[in-house]
Amino acid sequence: MNAILNKVPLAEPALFRLRSLVPLAAADIDAIESAALERREVSPRCEIQVEGSSIKERLILLSGWAFHARVLRDGRRQILGYVLPGDLLGNCYHRNAVAATSVIAVTPLALCRAPTPEPDGNLSEAFAVAAATDAHYLYRHITRLGRLSAFERIADWLLEIRERLASSGLTNGHEFALPLTQELIADTLGLTNVHVNRTLQTMRRDGLIELRGGRVLILDELALNRLVDPCPLQISR
Amino acid sequence: MNAILNKVPLAEPALFRLRSLVPLAAADIDAIESAALERREVSPRCEIQVEGSSIKERLILLSGWAFHARVLRDGRRQILGYVLPGDLLGNCYHRNAVAATSVIAVTPLALCRAPTPEPDGNLSEAFAVAAATDAHYLYRHITRLGRLSAFERIADWLLEIRERLASSGLTNGHEFALPLTQELIADTLGLTNVHVNRTLQTMRRDGLIELRGGRVLILDELALNRLVDPCPLQISR
DNA sequence: CGATCGTTTGACAAGGGTCAAAATGCGTGG
DNA sequence: CCACGCATTTTGACCCTTGTCAAACGATCG
């Protein structure tokens, strides 16, 4: 793994992820790898996109965690979603596009410019599928916040994060890194840090997860899934 | 108004709305007007898009209200957002796109195919801006569900609906139609119908809104706005 | 070894949910 | 035009989940 990373620093998770969306042409992969050679580093807590600012370029997150957020006047903050390795930023819709959210680094980040899609490759398609995937997770987040209990929210969200990290090859079986404070989790799930703490303790006590030192281990995926599995059909009234 | 509607049945609100996003070329307007001549009618409660089904074409809603929803196995339902006149459906991202949500008619609907954008017009741009606008409202909905109280959620949501209807020319000053039951509002805002009822009564008692017979009148917009006005800058910690 | 940030715990309060029933509104058919 | 039936709104009583406030505990870093 380290050998690969040395060949083209940090491009692996992003490539793994983008190739999981659409099969990429060799030229696409080359384009991403060479873009990754000119990467920028960003420190934790740095605001890498400001809500309302104009979007100039499309970026790929190579490593680290960031989040989209909105802040209310009185200081309440809602985290709208996380940006994980392989995700796109400023996947803009039109010229003069404006950032709809602020994006803030949680950990140190490595970013690079997304290559301009060539007509003979599949990058354009990959970016479109990535946008559709993002929308899917937004819908899921709305459902989570509107209709799930605190316990269910955390369960569903942990499974979602695991799924997304797995698509970048960043899980180790049922274990993965979770470099977030409980306060960030609370701001994600519409809860308070105190209640997140208590709910996580219940999950540990029930043998559903392990969580220490910024890593999670899903012990009973079935039980977690059972809580929140959505029903795709069957519209009541 | 009726004279206009008779000239090109029902196209006015959609045109009004799309032109508010991007100035349209005469050819664009013609294309939409002729598409509107071949419109389909849909009955209330009809499911016009099924989650997971493939998206074949882009549609424009000409009149009526519909909503995006997800339903959980145990019957809990979350309404993800409303489709109002001038909104697009199946604003698809890529070939083989799949519907991320179910879409259900609230009132009788009139729909038509969205014309294929021509390179010399602005329709493509308009559709892209519409998609960006949709994303903006999704973010707002997440913030509403995650961080606002019941009272604030209703206030913020009413203002959003008014803003959107105004962009289609469907408001009458501070008054507009709201053809929804309190149960639908509850499923939108992550509340129960009982609590929606009580909160609406408080708002009436406080002289903030009037609400009867499927119409709303915003009496004190400033007070409602004060509750929820977001702060675009200022990232805490 | 203090300072600072994050986690954990406790006591208490409140916003919102649940259940059940009554009241109101509305479309349909006689 | 009235009566019926169904959907929707409204009300009441009760309670549970989650928030609030405050303090203690633990870890990490200059």
Side-chain angles (χ1 to χ4, degrees), chain B residues 13 34 43 56 66 78-79 115 124 144 166 189 199 209 211 236:
Chain B
S34 54
S43 302
K56 296 165 215 69
Q78 178 62 44
I79 293 178
S124 163
R144 191 154 46 213
L189 298 177
T199 308
I209 62 169
L211 170 58
S236 60

Side-chain angles (χ1 to χ4, degrees), chain A residues 4 11-26 28-30 32-33 86 122-123 126-127 129-130 167-168:
Chain A
I4 295 173
E12 276 309 308
L15 271 179
F16 191 94
R17 198 277 170 128
L18 290 170
R19 296 177 78 170
S20 79
L21 300 175
V22 165
L24 293 182
D28 297 328
I29 296 173
D30 286 349
I32 292 175
E33 288 189 328
N122 282 326
L123 265 191
F127 293 162
V129 175
S167 79
S168 306

Side-chain angles (χ1 to χ4, degrees), chain B residues 138-158:
Chain B
L138 284 186
Y139 289 130
R140 181 163 169 182
H141 200 34
I142 290 175
T143 307
R144 191 154 46 213
L145 291 173
R147 282 296 176 234
L148 299 194
S149 69
F151 196 96
E152 293 167 327
R153 283 182 214 183
I154 294 182
D156 181 58
W157 177 77
L158 283 174

Side-chain angles (χ1 to χ4, degrees), chain B residues 28-58:
Chain B
D28 297 328
I29 296 172
D30 286 349
I32 291 174
E33 288 189 329
S34 54
L37 290 174
E38 288 186 33
R39 63 177 199 272
R40 310 168 209 177
E41 313 278 343
V42 170
S43 302
R45 315 215 149 171
C46 179
E47 186 173 1
I48 59 181
Q49 182 182 81
V50 180
E51 182 178 342
S53 68
S54 75
I55 293 176
K56 296 165 215 69
E57 54 188 351
R58 189 165 7 212

Side-chain angles (χ1 to χ4, degrees), chain A residues 15-201:
Chain A
L15 271 179
F16 191 94
R17 198 277 170 128
L18 290 170
R19 296 177 78 170
S20 79
L21 300 175
V22 165
L24 293 182
D28 297 328
I29 296 173
D30 286 349
I32 292 175
E33 288 189 328
S34 53
L37 290 174
E38 287 186 34
R39 65 178 197 271
R40 312 167 208 179
E41 314 278 343
V42 170
S43 302
R45 314 215 147 172
C46 178
E47 186 172 0
I48 59 180
Q49 183 183 83
V50 179
E51 182 178 342
S53 68
S54 74
I55 294 177
K56 295 164 217 72
E57 55 187 349
R58 182 150 34 197
L59 299 174
I60 302 180
L61 181 61
L62 296 172
S63 74
W65 286 49
F67 59 80
H68 294 266
R70 286 194 175 170
V71 178
L72 305 183
R73 270 183 313 179
D74 60 7
R76 285 178 287 184
R77 176 177 63 176
Q78 178 62 45
I79 293 179
L80 305 160
Y82 288 90
V83 189
L84 303 181
D87 283 335
L88 298 166
L89 252 152
N91 204 357
C92 56
Y93 297 96
H94 54 95
R95 60 197 151 89
N96 303 329
V98 153
T101 63
S102 300
V103 177
I104 292 149
V106 180
T107 67
L109 305 184
L111 293 157
C112 72
R113 281 191 46 252
T116 309
E118 301 294 337
D120 53 337
N122 282 326
L123 265 191
S124 164
E125 176 90 354
F127 293 162
V129 175
T133 306
D134 286 350
H136 173 87
Y137 285 123
L138 284 186
Y139 289 131
R140 181 164 169 182
H141 201 34
I142 289 175
T143 307
R144 191 154 47 213
L145 292 173
R147 282 296 176 232
L148 298 194
S149 69
F151 197 95
E152 293 167 325
R153 283 182 215 182
I154 295 182
D156 181 58
W157 177 75
L158 283 174
L159 291 175
E160 177 180 308
I161 292 293
R162 192 177 85 92
E163 175 184 313
R164 292 180 57 191
L165 288 176
S167 79
S168 306
L170 292 174
T171 52
N172 180 10
H174 282 187
E175 196 195 27
F176 55 91
L178 190 79
L180 305 177
T181 65
Q182 294 179 1
E183 187 168 352
L184 286 171
I185 298 174
D187 282 346
T188 306
L189 298 177
L191 303 168
T192 58
N193 59 344
V194 173
H195 200 65
V196 166
N197 183 277
R198 293 186 163 125
T199 308
L200 286 174
Q201 286 178 61

Side-chain angles (χ1 to χ4, degrees), chain B residues 2-200:
Chain B
N2 268 321
I4 296 174
L5 287 184
N6 287 335
K7 211 165 63 188
V8 177
L10 292 181
E12 276 309 306
L15 271 178
F16 192 93
R17 199 276 171 127
L18 290 170
R19 297 176 78 169
S20 80
L21 300 175
V22 166
L24 293 182
D28 297 328
I29 296 172
D30 286 349
I32 291 174
E33 288 189 329
S34 54
L37 290 174
E38 288 186 33
R39 63 177 199 272
R40 310 168 209 177
E41 313 278 343
V42 170
S43 302
R45 315 215 149 171
C46 179
E47 186 173 1
I48 59 181
Q49 182 182 81
V50 180
E51 182 178 342
S53 68
S54 75
I55 293 176
K56 296 165 215 69
E57 54 188 351
R58 189 165 7 212
L59 300 174
I60 302 180
L61 181 61
L62 296 172
S63 74
W65 286 49
F67 59 80
H68 293 266
R70 286 194 175 169
V71 178
L72 305 183
R73 270 183 313 178
D74 61 6
R76 284 179 288 185
R77 176 177 64 176
Q78 178 62 44
I79 293 178
L80 305 160
Y82 288 90
V83 189
L84 303 180
D87 283 335
L88 299 166
L89 231 100
N91 204 355
C92 57
Y93 297 95
H94 53 93
R95 59 194 152 90
N96 304 327
V98 153
T101 64
S102 300
V103 177
I104 291 149
V106 180
T107 67
L109 305 183
L111 293 158
C112 71
R113 282 191 46 252
T116 309
E118 301 294 338
D120 53 336
N122 282 327
L123 266 191
S124 163
E125 177 88 355
F127 293 162
V129 175
T133 306
D134 286 350
H136 173 86
Y137 285 123
L138 284 186
Y139 289 130
R140 181 163 169 182
H141 200 34
I142 290 175
T143 307
R144 191 154 46 213
L145 291 173
R147 282 296 176 234
L148 299 194
S149 69
F151 196 96
E152 293 167 327
R153 283 182 214 183
I154 294 182
D156 181 58
W157 177 77
L158 283 174
L159 292 176
E160 177 180 309
I161 292 294
R162 191 176 87 92
E163 175 185 313
R164 292 181 57 193
L165 289 176
S167 79
S168 307
L170 292 174
T171 52
N172 179 9
H174 282 188
E175 196 195 26
F176 55 91
L178 190 78
L180 305 178
T181 65
Q182 293 179 2
E183 187 169 353
L184 286 170
I185 298 174
D187 282 347
T188 306
L189 298 177
L191 303 167
T192 59
N193 58 345
V194 174
H195 201 65
V196 167
N197 183 277
R198 292 185 163 128
T199 308
L200 286 174

